[in-house]
């Protein structure tokens, strides 16, 4: 069973999102996470952090953001901050 938990916090004029992802025993191929930001919200280039490490910017098209995580084994956890 895969789960996603999304939280957000407002810091002055910025909204910071945290997405916790977990997966059960079944491996996942070509895992992608698609984030739809609310109208008027823009992604800040260079703001993505996965498990405490800065990562390349995702694909961004207006308010749609696509993260490509690739092939992941079973029983994994990831925390994305943006």
């Amino acid at each position: 069973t895969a789960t996603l938990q999304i939280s957000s916090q407002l810091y002055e004029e910025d909204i910071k999102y945290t997405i916790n992802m977990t997966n059960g025993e079944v491996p996942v191929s070509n895992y992608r996470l698609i984030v739809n930001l609310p109208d008027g919200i823009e992604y800040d280039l260079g703001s993505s952090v996965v498990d405490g490490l800065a990562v390349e910017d995702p694909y961004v098209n207006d308010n749609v953001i696509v993260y490509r995580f690739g092939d992941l084994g079973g029983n994994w956890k990831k925390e994305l901050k943006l």
Side-chain angles (χ1 to χ4, degrees):
T1 302
T3 60
L4 290 175
Q5 180 184 17
I6 302 170
S7 62
S8 62
Q9 289 187 312
L10 180 61
Y11 294 96
E12 296 180 10
E13 294 182 7
D14 291 334
I15 299 174
K16 300 295 183 183
Y17 293 94
T18 300
I19 303 172
N20 290 298
M21 302 166 275
T22 61
N23 186 48
E25 296 179 13
V26 178
V28 178
S29 297
N30 197 25
Y31 183 71
R32 294 178 187 198
L33 175 66
I34 300 171
V35 179
N36 293 304
L37 296 175
D39 288 338
I41 303 298
E42 295 180 4
Y43 172 75
D44 288 333
L45 293 176
S47 67
S48 293
V49 175
V50 175
D51 296 332
L53 300 173
V55 295
E56 285 185 34
D57 285 317
Y59 170 79
V60 179
N61 184 7
D62 293 326
N63 65 330
V64 177
I65 303 170
V66 180
Y67 291 89
R68 293 179 175 96
F69 290 99
D71 297 338
L72 301 172
N75 297 314
W76 53 264
K77 294 180 182 181
K78 294 197 174 291
E79 180 183 70
L80 168 66
K81 293 186 176 199
L82 63 137

